[in-house]
Amino acid sequence: MIDFVAALVGPFRDIAGQPVFFVEVVLGGVFAGLLYSLVALGFVLIFKASGVFNFAQGAMVLFAALTLVGLMERGVPVIAAVAVTTAVMIGLAFVIERLVLRPLVNQEHIILFMATIGLNFFLEGFGEMLWGANVKKLDIGIPDRTFMVGAVQINELELTSAITAAVLVTVLAVFFQKTRIGRALRAVADDHEAALSIGIPLKTIWVVVWSIAGVVAIAAGIMWGAKSGVQFSLSLIALKALPVLILGGFTSVPGAIAGGLIIGIGEKIGEVYWGPLVGGAIENWFAYVVALAFLLVRPQGLFGEKIIERV
Amino acid sequence: MIYREAGQFKTSYAADQAIFPIAQDRVLAVCFLAAAFLVPVAASEYWLQAVLIPFLIYALAALGLNLLTGYAGQLSLGTGGFMAVGAYSAFKLTTTFPAVNVLVVFVLAGLAAAAVGLLFGIPSLRIKGFYLAVATLAAQFFLIWLFNRVGWFVNYAPSGTISAPPRTVLGVMTTGPHATAAVRYWVALGLAVLFALIAKNLVRGRVGRSWMAIRDRDIAAEIIGIRPLPTKLLAFGVSSFYCGVAGAEFVFLYLGTAETLAFDITLSFLVLFAVIIGGLGSILGSFLGAGFIVLVPIFLTNIPHLLGVPLPVAIQKEIELMVFGALIIFFLIVEPQGLARLWQITKEKLRLWPFPH
């Protein structure tokens, strides 16, 4: 028993003993967390505007990254490749709206959820058929160098990613709060029918929202791809974004960011300091357990809308 | 003309509440069952091993998930995890107590899975809808990790796999490498029929009605006196029991040898597909859906051969993924209530046939 407690407490001594290493672990967590946030953001956008739990977000990230890499391998310059990929993702949003969402309008949430799982399979197969299944290196010209701030190592790539993510989130927040379309999106999220009755075109809104989610997927795909190569497992990060989502709340953009950071940092600290106790590789489920424990206290997540139930 | 219930009078409550109230249905069901038990006489080893046995096992798992998701309205993505609990506890039980009848082991493994299911069902009182679905993923990942990491579950086998040891039931080799496909098929069929019957009776009784009340409006159900916690937990328990038995069968009757990879999240999704494509809240639908998920990949693999266009394996796999995904979307659009609903429509049409009205 005493051994067990000692083993649990021991890591705290390590943290106090090596603060620099601890800061580096936290920074690694922040980076991973931001990437989770970017994926979770795609989920939140679509869920907010259409109530669809889009399981295919991970496949969209993979598809975007595959398209980008595929284009660059064929000699297209970075800027043009990003532009073409953006166009492809917007086109994809149109197709999805027309072929999947519109016929399924008014169906139960679970049906739409299943449809997005079908979409997930389709995109994975399609992307790999177009661009091949081997692991690809994505190089967009950001050097993978480290520099020192005080005693702490900082990776240039991670720093760039973090800044990009922050900019993206700010732009999205402004877009949601200040623009005409942003207001329409929020109206649709609040009440479909009321939004329709005051003349907001639902179909357009859906295309817009899926396009934005597609653009966010490109950003996530670039960062993740630059970090660990573009490969099939990229679509699995969708699963890692889910606990972020329930932690932050399905409907909250700031929630996605905060949730991502909490999960990212928590996961890294848990893995590095307490993981060895139970044989490691706890990253796969640690986030879920954190989120689950949190949900028991606050069922709607950190920033989710308060659940009010009526009969 | 043939399928018409005119002249069949119900003179007792028992007749009124029969599972198959129409005589034609009864005849059909009996014929179908008899045919199902006689299949091994005619079917080849390949058909039994590659199609019928997995079909029955997926059907049992789908039945379990359907009780939870279709009847009690609790979306779960942890099916693979609960099936793994069934498989690994069956393995542990039968290697620790080799004398115990393997059918008893299956039931005990189901009970072990039910206990785990109860544990992971506790959050369902606070968490609902998609939040719950994501929470059940915790069960999936945690359980798989546990079976991967803790050597005790695989009897410290260096390969980390479990394999079905040879066991006999009434002197007939049932599991292990020397059991014939026919015997394994009969065991799977017997269990599937038995548990389908139990499920059918569960859902049309008091328990099933309280599940459906919770599904339709949990607060209203609470107000009319259904206690949500025991009801939801019972749904999780029964569902996990079914999944656990299915998981034990998965290794003992179908795969023979398995590692945790066989029970990963893909399996959870596959079973969920079976439930949704078959029909939420339908016993028959669970079987139809299981048939769909077993047959479609086989068709997709064989079609290029039949057309005489040999494709590279990689491309074939990608096309399979695409077609499977597209088919799911297509089916959801055409009939969101599943194949069971199509069967109902067929029956309605049959009653009138050959007249238009």
Side-chain angles (χ1 to χ4, degrees), chain B residues 199-265:
Chain B
K200 182 74 190 168
N201 281 312
L202 260 184
V203 296
R204 59 197 195 123
R206 196 172 148 262
V207 174
R209 283 165 192 231
S210 57
W211 282 346
M212 286 184 262
I214 289 280
R215 171 192 68 191
D216 291 341
R217 246 292 179 244
D218 51 353
I219 292 192
E222 204 175 339
I223 289 169
I224 59 168
I226 293 165
R227 290 186 299 159
L229 183 61
T231 313
K232 284 181 182 176
L233 281 187
L234 186 66
F236 266 98
V238 173
S239 159
S240 311
F241 175 84
Y242 274 70
C243 292
V245 174
E249 286 184 36
F250 199 54
V251 172
F252 279 66
L253 301 179
Y254 174 46
L255 294 177
T257 307
E259 50 181 342
T260 47
L261 200 63
F263 296 100
D264 73 351
I265 181 104

Side-chain angles (χ1 to χ4, degrees), chain A residues 1-13 15 273-274 277-278:
Chain A
M1 188 64 206
I2 291 171
D3 282 355
F4 182 67
V5 172
L8 276 185
V9 176
F12 285 113
R13 268 209 314 273
I15 292 174
Y273 289 100
W274 279 272
L277 278 187
V278 284

Side-chain angles (χ1 to χ4, degrees), chain A residues 65 136-139 220-231 234:
Chain A
K136 297 184 184 67
K137 183 96 187 88
L138 178 62
D139 184 13
I222 291 176
M223 306 200 177
W224 217 283
K227 185 77 189 155
S228 53
V230 176
Q231 51 187 314
L234 213 55

